[in-house]
Amino acid sequence: MHWTNAIAMFILIGSGWKIYNDEVLFGWLHFPEEFTIGGEAQGALQWHLFAMWILMLNGLAYLIYGIVTGRFRRMLTPIRITEILSNIRDALRFRLGHDDLTRYNGVQKMLYTGIIVVGILQVLTGLAIWKPVQFSELAALFGSFQTARLLHFLCMTAIVAFVLVHVALALLVPRTLVGMLTGGPELDERPDPKLTTAAQDASR
Amino acid sequence: MSVRTPSPSIFRPKAGIDQSVLHENRNLLAEIDRRKILRGAVSLGALTMLTGCDVTNRGAVQSILKAVSSFNDGVQSLLFRPNHLAPTFSEAEVVKPPRFNAFYDITDLKPVDRANWKLELAGLIEDKRPWTAQQIYALPEQEWIVRHVCVEGWDYIGQWSGVNLREFLTRIGADLKAKYIMFRCADGYSGSIDMASALHPQTILATKYAREPITDPFGFPLRLRTAVKLGFKNPKWITAMEVTNTYPGGYWEDRGFNWFSGL
């Protein structure tokens, strides 16, 4: 689900930049054409309205899975201000621990919850821009057509900022990458001695 | 690495995960290397920047994108609410004059001569006699103050009046069960819309903007104005209209823009 989402986001952001360039919100901001997807406007729109299905279906499955299995409750709550503050203090002193990759710290809980909310908002503003008449009730929530566009742009900015920090931090703790590719540290109730060696080798 | 109790995932195998895979692939796992991943990422990035090697323009990819665009046409026609009105606005919000847009610059505009202009009718229509501007301007009018949304992302509020398209189609005895209405224009532009959108209450053949006859840059003497489609689905300087069951395409639609393009 994570990598499906990553591919969909990559396509949506790259094609979205091309669509944005056709009618910019800010005169000083044009995305370099080399970093856009789709070639011309129509190609970018085709990519965007193709990848939106991947994002929406994958995202819906992820939300249902997270809620039904209790994963969100277990992994993302409770979010405590005191824990977040102490994480920030530890991080500034380079003492933040990553020993247990199966548990999120306070800052992770806050950011991972935040990015889910931004993702949902991004889909809703996207639908309001795509169908301002059929979904006029939804579009009205975001004010005018241009405020919906601006919100869609700001959510994109938040997602890009999140991805930059997320990737940079994952590279700082390379052990997480192995977990991301193999399904994560998840040990059987009856540990296999051969496996323990393999896992240690992998984490070196 | 710490051990945690297996989560109650519905997808987790009851007997636990088969661990042999990890052991069999230990060499592969040992090879996962940050530098290789970075090098791979950089080469992929470099590949997309090579001109003439655009990974997004291969035939197979194009046909998938086209198929999804057709699928999106179907989804949009399912989402379409025939009697749901687009938001309307007050006269104070109307932008005058409206914004010009065509597949060429405004300086290349060739105005239509009203005296020689005619609206030709074709296809599944009982009375195919052509209409003069005088006849069309004498028809009962309807006015809508609605938002015009361009596929590029800009929008403005416009005040349009003219004969309701459903009323006009009924008057000329068009087959209202046909699938498409196709428009041809004096400047070589063409476009088509689905029948459901053509019959929507806020779809008119516009002859006036802000209660004055439409000026040359905005489609004089006759243009389509529908509140349920993107701007490019509103052909200007219309010279012919055809009712048909054969997919007619259109200028921008043939160049890759989504056909339905509903709002």
Side-chain angles (χ1 to χ4, degrees):
Chain A
M1 276 186 177
H2 174 272
W3 294 109
T4 309
N5 186 60
I7 292 166
M9 278 293 183
F10 179 79
I11 297 173
L12 284 162
I13 292 168
S15 57
W17 287 357
K18 176 68 202 171
I19 297 166
Y20 167 93
N21 277 353
D22 247 15
E23 177 68 17
V24 298
L25 285 162
F26 310 103
W28 48 269
L29 178 66
H30 290 256
F31 294 101
E33 293 288 316
E34 310 86 72
F35 296 138
T36 64
I37 293 173
E40 290 184 279
Q42 50 266 55
L45 283 158
Q46 286 178 351
W47 277 105
H48 208 73
L49 298 180
F50 161 60
M52 76 171 182
W53 291 113
I54 305 177
L55 179 83
M56 290 199 293
L57 294 175
N58 187 60
L60 196 65
Y62 173 72
L63 289 179
I64 292 171
Y65 172 82
I67 291 165
V68 169
T69 63
R71 182 185 160 86
F72 288 159
R73 192 170 33 79
R74 199 175 61 246
M75 300 290 282
L76 300 176
T77 59
I79 299 177
R80 292 201 182 89
I81 300 285
T82 47
E83 192 188 355
I84 293 169
L85 292 178
S86 88
N87 291 155
I88 293 172
R89 267 197 305 274
D90 287 347
L92 290 176
R93 294 180 192 135
F94 300 102
R95 275 191 212 150
L96 192 62
H98 310 288
D99 301 332
D100 184 357
L101 292 180
T102 64
R103 291 194 57 212
Y104 293 152
N105 64 40
V107 173
Q108 282 175 309
K109 284 179 191 166
M110 178 183 70
L111 288 180
Y112 287 145
T113 307
I115 201 66
I116 292 171
V117 173
V118 170
I120 294 170
L121 198 59
Q122 188 65 332
V123 169
L124 293 179
T125 51
L127 288 174
I129 296 169
W130 188 45
K131 291 282 157 273
V133 173
Q134 304 313 319
F135 299 153
S136 57
E137 298 85 354
L138 173 74
L141 290 179
F142 301 117
S144 74
F145 183 76
Q146 292 304 326
T147 51
R149 261 189 95 209
L150 179 64
L151 278 170
H152 199 62
F153 177 88
L154 292 176
C155 288
M156 177 279 294
T157 313
I159 292 167
V160 171
F162 173 86
V163 169
L164 290 178
V165 174
H166 179 62
V167 172
L169 293 182
L171 289 174
L172 274 179
V173 187
R175 260 189 311 140
T176 57
L177 293 179
V178 181
M180 283 311 296
L181 295 168
T182 60
E186 199 83 66
L187 296 181
D188 198 85
E189 278 136 310
R190 298 159 278 108
D192 177 348
K194 278 185 290 179
L195 164 87
T196 320
T197 337
Q200 278 164 359
D201 286 351
S203 64
R204 271 211 305 259
Chain B
M1 282 185 209
S2 67
V3 182
R4 77 175 157 93
T5 44
S7 58
S9 164
I10 49 171
F11 301 112
R12 189 172 301 286
K14 291 257 164 6
I17 300 163
D18 182 10
Q19 309 285 356
S20 60
V21 181
L22 271 179
H23 187 60
E24 282 162 19
N25 294 305
R26 57 183 298 176
N27 290 338
L28 189 69
L29 282 175
E31 268 178 34
I32 294 176
D33 171 342
R34 249 187 308 173
R35 289 188 185 188
K36 278 188 197 158
I37 291 174
L38 280 174
R39 201 161 58 208
V42 169
S43 357
L44 183 66
L47 177 68
T48 60
M49 284 174 206
L50 285 175
T51 46
C53 277
D54 193 341
V55 285
T56 63
N57 276 335
R58 296 223 196 101
V61 175
Q62 289 307 310
S63 59
I64 291 172
L65 289 175
K66 262 199 184 137
V68 174
S69 190
S70 304
F71 170 75
N72 286 340
D73 286 339
V75 171
Q76 291 177 88
S77 92
L78 284 177
L79 288 176
F80 185 72
R81 300 194 267 172
N83 291 311
H84 175 68
L85 294 186
T88 52
F89 301 86
S90 75
E91 256 186 278
E93 294 168 273
V94 174
V95 173
K96 297 175 207 171
R99 182 164 166 175
F100 175 81
N101 199 30
F103 60 93
Y104 45 82
D105 207 71
I106 193 164
T107 49
D108 296 328
L109 180 80
K110 292 185 189 70
V112 170
D113 173 20
R114 176 178 164 137
N116 295 321
W117 180 87
K118 264 190 309 211
L119 175 69
E120 309 272 358
L121 301 177
L124 307 167
I125 295 171
E126 279 170 26
D127 183 355
K128 288 182 193 144
R129 280 178 299 176
W131 288 66
T132 64
Q134 202 179 1
Q135 286 171 310
I136 291 208
Y137 276 65
L139 290 171
E141 279 177 8
Q142 188 182 59
E143 179 185 281
W144 292 108
I145 302 181
V146 287
R147 186 190 303 280
H148 175 117
V149 178
C150 179
V151 68
E152 292 171 3
W154 49 267
D155 72 303
Y156 69 87
I157 307 298
Q159 179 182 14
W160 303 93
S161 33
V163 63
N164 178 275
L165 184 56
R166 176 195 279 265
E167 211 175 294
F168 186 72
L169 289 170
T170 313
R171 191 181 284 262
I172 58 178
D175 177 3
L176 302 187
K177 295 208 164 54
K179 286 186 185 164
Y180 312 102
I181 315 274
M182 162 77 161
F183 298 94
R184 288 184 199 289
C185 309
D187 61 348
Y189 189 78
S190 63
S192 57
I193 62 171
D194 56 296
M195 184 59 82
S197 300
L199 299 179
H200 187 271
Q202 289 165 310
T203 301
I204 64 173
L205 289 173
T207 48
K208 288 181 181 153
Y209 186 81
R211 307 237 167 96
E212 298 289 330
I214 302 180
T215 50
D216 288 324
F218 307 106
F220 178 84
L222 191 69
R223 67 168 294 168
L224 181 69
R225 189 64 195 96
T226 171
V228 294
K229 296 274 187 206
L230 283 171
F232 79 91
K233 301 294 290 184
N234 292 257
K236 304 185 274 278
W237 312 285
I238 297 172
T239 54
M241 188 172 96
E242 184 183 347
V243 177
T244 175
N245 280 316
T246 315
Y247 173 73
Y251 183 88
W252 286 120
E253 295 85 339
D254 298 345
R255 287 163 176 78
F257 282 96
N258 176 260
W259 174 72
F260 195 94
S261 286
L263 286 177

